[in-house]
Amino acid sequence: MRVFNFSAGPATLPEEVLRQVQEELLDWQGIGASLIEISHRGKEFSAVRDEAEVRLRRLLDIPDDYAVLFLQGGATLQFSAVPMHLLQGGSADYVVTGAWSQKAYREALRLAPVLGGRVRLAASTEESGFTRAPRPEALDLDPKARYVHVCTNETIHGVEWLELEAIAATGVPIVADMSSHLLSRPIDVRQFGLIYAGAQKNVGPAGLTIVIVRRDLMRDPWVGTPAVMQYAAQAENQSMLNTPPTFAIWVSNLVFAWLEKLGGLAAIEALNVRKAEKLYAAIDALPLYHNAVEARWRSRMNVPWRLKVEALNEVFLRESDAAGLKYLKGHKMVGGMRASIYNAMPEAGVEALAAFLHDFAQRYG
Ligand SMILES: *Cc1c(COP(=O)(O)O)cnc(C)c1O
């Protein structure tokens, strides 16, 4: 029996996709072997890779002057790859809105001396406990910066923001870590110089990292940049400079097809809005629970909350687990609970969780 899996990542995948993988695992489309047992350079896998790119371009309406790369190393490797390509001899602005953008900032700070560049903190919401997006007037932006780095959905703190007009107004390319909400809603790719995302949150299995980069930003990486990290070299080789993560690309392609069948990103967004509203409504209605994020910046994907009686945490986790609502323990940085309700989480899962929240509060609140 499948449970409702609220894991933050690797995370729940559409059941339909998993069944198709199961069905095709031993004999992919009649070739008598699995797609993950054959050469990535053969016509079978190449066709799947190409199809994945076509579908992703269609879903996100990615213009031709952007390259789509299927890389490895996770979003974390992009914390390094971005400055290696864009920072040299210049300055970059970082907006820190939670744990992940802070990690990206720290990695850039670490590399800056090697790259002969400078890294500035353009804003931080740490003093609010990472419970909101930065106020536009609090942004200290350098109009000469090479790029501005943001994380548009903070997976741990549950803050989501795409109100980037103040940053866009400077004309400086925006680099966005969208690991935990890429494909959850339509976005305007043209607003960004570079978008990156580890697949294992809202897209597919672990092992694949998606990079969408405006082609003019791929030029002249730092001389020490490993070849597999170089955007232009990967773009010239269809992301196959070395062996790509074939399983993750295959499954992600099936997820893309699943999204298209559902009606694309506008359709999944409507569903995601409904799911998030139901969950936040339950949290807000019950005095036992508290979500600290300012309402307008609350993430649709990652919903953290605390129990006002901390002593009940263990009981809550035990009972929710027994009810088939799994992996609700919050990240150790923030404590409490967290439900990740990505694209593949059915609305029934959110409804079951909301009902459990009510029931638990009634019994212990
Ligand atoms: C999970 C996550 C990361 C790190 O991803 P890896 O693929 O493990 O390197 C970075 N940024 C965000 C927003 C994340 O959610």
Side-chain angles (χ1 to χ4, degrees):
M1 196 202 77
R2 300 232 340 134
V3 297
F4 290 122
N5 166 12
F6 295 95
S7 170
T12 192
L13 288 165
E15 186 168 335
E16 232 178 280
V17 167
L18 293 176
R19 289 198 187 284
Q20 190 175 348
V21 171
Q22 184 181 43
E23 204 167 289
E24 296 185 334
L25 191 61
L26 296 183
D27 177 6
W28 185 81
Q29 301 197 356
I31 64 172
S34 174
L35 190 67
I36 60 173
E37 299 173 294
I38 59 173
S39 170
H40 55 291
R41 306 210 181 269
K43 66 177 190 313
E44 295 90 355
F45 182 78
S46 296
V48 170
R49 197 225 71 91
D50 292 350
E51 190 174 62
E53 179 173 339
V54 167
R55 284 191 171 131
L56 187 62
R57 283 184 180 278
R58 210 154 51 207
L59 281 164
L60 284 166
D61 193 17
I62 302 173
D64 287 341
D65 55 330
Y66 285 73
V68 170
L69 307 176
F70 294 141
L71 305 180
Q72 302 186 64
T76 304
L77 196 63
Q78 295 308 310
F79 296 169
S80 320
V82 164
M84 283 179 172
H85 281 82
L86 301 178
L87 185 59
Q88 295 180 76
S91 181
D93 281 354
Y94 277 71
V95 180
V96 172
T97 49
W100 288 112
S101 50
Q102 191 155 53
K103 284 194 187 196
Y105 171 57
R106 288 186 180 147
E107 178 65 1
L109 274 180
R110 193 181 70 79
L111 289 171
V114 181
L115 301 172
R118 225 158 56 85
V119 172
R120 294 171 69 249
L121 185 64
S124 166
T125 57
E126 190 166 13
E127 95 298 330
S128 79
F130 295 131
T131 55
R132 56 176 173 80
R135 316 224 183 277
E137 65 276 11
L139 289 165
D140 170 24
L141 295 166
D142 171 7
K144 294 206 181 69
R146 294 281 172 82
Y147 64 94
V148 183
H149 182 280
V150 296
C151 174
T152 46
N153 187 64
E154 290 281 1
T155 321
I156 294 174
H157 290 88
V159 173
E160 182 168 8
W161 65 300
L162 280 162
E163 289 70 8
L164 304 168
E165 294 77 10
I167 301 177
T170 63
V172 174
I174 300 175
V175 173
D177 176 357
M178 294 197 185
S179 292
S180 47
H181 75 160
L182 186 71
L183 298 181
S184 70
R185 57 196 288 168
I187 51 164
D188 178 7
V189 171
R190 285 196 186 284
Q191 254 204 311
F192 301 91
L194 188 151
I195 293 165
Y196 65 90
Q200 75 276 16
K201 307 287 169 49
N202 194 40
V203 175
L208 168 66
T209 311
I210 294 171
V211 174
I212 301 163
V213 51
R214 218 173 64 205
R215 292 184 196 275
D216 63 297
L217 297 175
M218 304 195 303
R219 285 194 293 261
D220 306 323
W222 171 61
V223 63
T225 310
V228 292
M229 287 174 70
Q230 293 181 18
Y231 301 139
Q234 287 287 14
E236 277 160 31
N237 289 278
Q238 290 73 48
S239 305
M240 297 205 285
L241 201 64
N242 66 330
T243 314
T246 54
F247 180 77
I249 291 171
W250 170 34
V251 179
S252 296
N253 182 41
L254 299 177
V255 173
F256 300 158
W258 173 78
L259 281 168
E260 290 197 311
K261 210 169 80 184
L262 284 179
L265 299 192
I268 201 79
E269 177 182 41
L271 179 62
N272 287 332
V273 167
R274 227 167 46 225
K275 279 155 46 186
E277 278 173 356
K278 282 185 179 168
L279 185 49
Y280 285 112
I283 292 168
D284 290 343
L286 299 159
L288 179 60
Y289 312 116
H290 178 61
N291 169 291
V293 179
E294 281 182 25
R296 67 179 288 210
W297 310 119
R298 284 172 162 182
S299 170
R300 296 170 181 174
M301 298 278 101
N302 309 98
V303 182
W305 73 93
R306 300 181 73 106
L307 271 60
K308 284 186 189 151
V309 185
E310 294 273 330
L312 286 173
N313 279 345
E314 290 296 313
V315 192
F316 183 96
L317 287 168
R318 199 168 55 236
E319 291 197 8
S320 55
D321 188 90
L325 306 166
K326 301 273 185 178
Y327 313 118
L328 286 168
K329 194 179 164 90
H331 192 278
K332 59 184 185 298
M333 280 184 75
V334 294
M337 310 295 152
R338 172 177 52 174
S340 294
I341 51 173
Y342 299 122
N343 286 350
M345 170 58 61
E347 193 163 13
V350 173
E351 284 165 355
L353 175 56
F356 178 83
L357 287 170
H358 278 280
D359 176 60
F360 187 85
Q362 204 150 51
R363 287 182 293 116
Y364 294 96

